[in-house]
Structures are given as C-alpha cells and as structure tokens.
Amino acid sequence: MIEASCQCGEVTITVEEAPLTVTDCNCSACRRKGALWAYYRPAQVKVSGDTDFYMWGDRTLRSHRCKICGNTTHWSPVDPNLERMGVNARLMTPEILA
C-alpha cells in the first residue's frame, strides 16, 4: 500500500502499488505545478480530505488541490466512464519514485 499526502497532511491518497512510470506533462498548467503524474483506474485510488478543483481548456479534467496548503493532489475525469485518473507522484516519498 502506497500513501501520498499534501504538504499539510489534510489530503491523503492511497493506492495499492507504486507506479511503474510517471509522466512529466508540459502543458501550460502542469508545467507550472511541477507535478509528475502516475496513472491509475479511479477504483484503485482512495482520496481522503478536503479538496477543491480547477478546470480549464476543454473542461474534461478536474485538477484537484488541497483547500488548506494548495498542493495539487490529483486529477479526475469529468466523464465518469473514463477509466484513468492521475495522482501527483511528487506527493509520494522519494523512495517510491526512485
């Protein structure tokens, strides 16, 4: 079990296994966030804590962040039928990313 958390610890994300790869997206939003995205099926991810979200562009993704510290935690699809979401792997311990 892998647990990730934002800076203040309000939001935690739990996944069963470490990501095999991560994506350093260079879109205008992700580039500014500095996130590394690990992809999972939504059923594989448990998010606890209070987040809000931002949507831009074609409005197909919600980019979630902690309401307290502002760390970007994950993104989720607007369409509930899509089977992929992104978890900010920078919130995992450095040993996991190694």
Side-chain angles (χ1 to χ4, degrees):
M1 195 67 70
I2 305 297
E3 189 170 284
S5 68
C6 63
Q7 180 69 32
C8 72
E10 170 65 21
V11 178
T12 59
I13 298 175
T14 307
V15 294
E16 300 247 343
E17 57 192 31
L20 297 176
T21 61
V22 294
T23 300
D24 184 7
C25 178
N26 66 355
C27 78
S28 62
C30 292
R31 179 173 50 85
R32 288 173 171 84
K33 294 173 189 166
L36 288 177
W37 297 114
Y39 301 114
Y40 295 94
R41 289 187 325 276
Q44 294 176 291
V45 180
K46 179 183 175 195
V47 178
S48 300
D50 202 9
T51 66
D52 60 6
F53 65 86
Y54 172 72
M55 295 187 340
W56 69 98
D58 61 7
R59 303 181 69 80
T60 59
L61 302 176
R62 293 182 189 99
S63 178
H64 295 261
R65 62 184 170 244
C66 174
K67 283 188 172 184
I68 296 172
C69 69
N71 278 162
T72 298
T73 55
H74 64 289
W75 64 259
S76 61
V78 172
D79 182 346
N81 296 316
L82 294 180
E83 285 295 313
R84 184 169 94 152
M85 67 180 288
V87 172
N88 186 356
R90 290 210 189 265
L91 303 182
M92 297 176 184
T93 63
E95 296 80 21
I96 297 298
L97 291 178

